[in-house]
Amino acid sequence: MSSTIQPILSEVRDQLKVEVYANRQDMGHSAGQAAAGKIKELLAKQEKVRMIFAAAPSQNEFLETLTKDSEIDWSRITAFHMDEYIGLERNAPQRFSQFLQDRLFDVVKPGQVHLIDSSNSIEGECKRYVELLSEAPIDIVCLGIGENGHIAFNDPPVADFEDPMLMKPVELDDACRQQQVNDGCFPAFGDVPTHALTLTIPAIMSGRHLFCMVPGPTKRDAVMHTLNGPIATECPASILRTHADCTLYVDTDSYEVKS
């Protein structure tokens, strides 16, 4: 791995560590290096590492950095992802499982990959996936924050910090669906599915180590509310301020650096 790039600003909000980088390339590279270091640290102490990944353009630089670390023994990693649309064709390029297979899983070939299959019965798929998630603790979660403050597909109307479930079907709110158009994933609002399966907030927060990558100007309001607003479901990502080991990686587009 190449030399570490230093953040231009570091701070802590409640328990949440924040690192600000000059641009999204530096941000993704540094986050990827940090996550790779944690993976190798854990593999030195335990037989397997269990990880959950987000699928979004915000993760591209981070995932690319992970794939380039030849020292990670991916055969000892069990991989999950955190959400999936309901209603897309099995081979649709917008499926989050496809996104992660193209950018990560097919490249590094983890020992086990558990994909959400939303074409199954919803109740049955939730049961199947929760059983897999619950086999052992989750070591690392790699996530982003949506324009509406969501983590996974826990949009403000459906987010529940005390959710009794680890996975559930949700209806996507309009801001979330519009983001998928803004990100270039769908050509128009009407093409974006209305429902999805998502890991819940307790499932995400159960990870021992969280790495959260949030670049770009469209995320500035969400980052501001995450860091400065109340810890409330109006901005689901605000709950990250209560996690014992979460680092938020942002760039100067998503975080306003005061001069």
Side-chain angles (χ1 to χ4, degrees):
M1 298 289 280
S2 55
S3 59
T4 301
I5 300 166
Q6 295 301 314
I8 62 172
L9 175 67
S10 298
E11 62 178 4
V12 178
R13 298 291 178 94
D14 296 317
Q15 296 187 78
L16 177 62
K17 299 178 285 292
V18 184
E19 295 189 3
V20 186
Y21 289 86
N23 55 66
R24 69 180 292 159
Q25 193 66 43
D26 288 355
M27 181 216 73
H29 179 78
S30 296
Q33 281 196 322
K38 181 58 69 175
I39 293 168
K40 290 181 283 189
E41 174 192 320
L42 293 175
L43 285 174
K45 300 184 291 187
Q46 60 195 61
E47 182 58 32
K48 293 185 182 295
V49 167
R50 290 161 58 83
M51 299 182 65
I52 298 172
F53 292 94
S58 63
Q59 309 295 299
N60 284 347
E61 295 83 3
F62 167 78
L63 294 173
E64 182 182 5
T65 301
L66 272 187
T67 64
K68 291 180 176 177
D69 191 326
S70 60
E71 298 176 352
I72 297 174
D73 183 358
W74 286 94
S75 70
R76 294 164 57 198
I77 292 174
T78 299
F80 299 86
H81 61 125
M82 56 181 56
D83 43 19
E84 186 60 273
Y85 294 114
I86 294 172
L88 287 181
E89 295 292 328
R90 188 179 289 273
N91 61 350
Q94 296 96 339
R95 285 177 72 102
F96 292 146
S97 55
Q98 191 64 51
F99 178 98
L100 286 168
Q101 283 178 299
D102 292 344
R103 288 164 178 79
L104 183 65
F105 301 151
D106 287 350
V107 181
V108 299
K109 297 181 169 50
Q112 288 184 291
V113 175
H114 297 302
L115 301 177
I116 299 170
D117 186 352
S118 56
S119 62
N120 287 339
S121 88
I122 300 307
E123 182 179 350
E125 183 62 5
C126 287
K127 182 176 184 295
R128 182 188 75 87
Y129 213 72
V130 164
E131 286 175 354
L132 292 168
L133 281 169
S134 303
E135 285 177 354
I138 298 297
D139 296 297
I140 296 174
V141 179
C142 309
L143 71 154
I145 296 173
E147 292 177 17
N148 63 358
H150 73 212
I151 50 178
F153 268 145
N154 296 282
D155 292 331
V158 298
D160 182 354
F161 293 163
E162 305 295 332
D163 207 310
M165 297 177 284
L166 292 179
M167 184 177 180
K168 65 183 180 181
V170 293
E171 182 175 2
L172 304 179
D173 78 3
D174 287 352
C176 174
R177 293 176 66 206
Q178 183 59 46
Q179 179 187 324
Q180 311 311 315
V181 181
N182 298 346
D183 283 348
C185 301
F186 291 89
F189 180 83
D191 298 315
V192 183
T194 58
H195 290 75
L197 287 174
T198 186
L199 300 193
T200 61
I201 290 173
I204 294 166
M205 294 292 286
S206 74
R208 292 163 59 197
H209 311 284
L210 272 54
F211 296 85
C212 185
M213 288 61 70
V214 192
T218 62
K219 302 294 181 71
R220 183 172 283 206
D221 283 350
V223 168
M224 181 187 69
H225 289 298
T226 296
L227 297 178
N228 302 312
I231 297 175
T233 55
E234 286 73 23
C235 179
S238 61
I239 194 66
L240 298 176
R241 286 166 28 207
T242 70
H243 194 276
D245 186 22
C246 179
T247 303
L248 174 64
Y249 297 86
V250 291
D251 62 7
T252 52
D253 284 332
S254 61
Y255 179 101
E256 185 177 3
V257 178
K258 302 290 194 295
S259 56

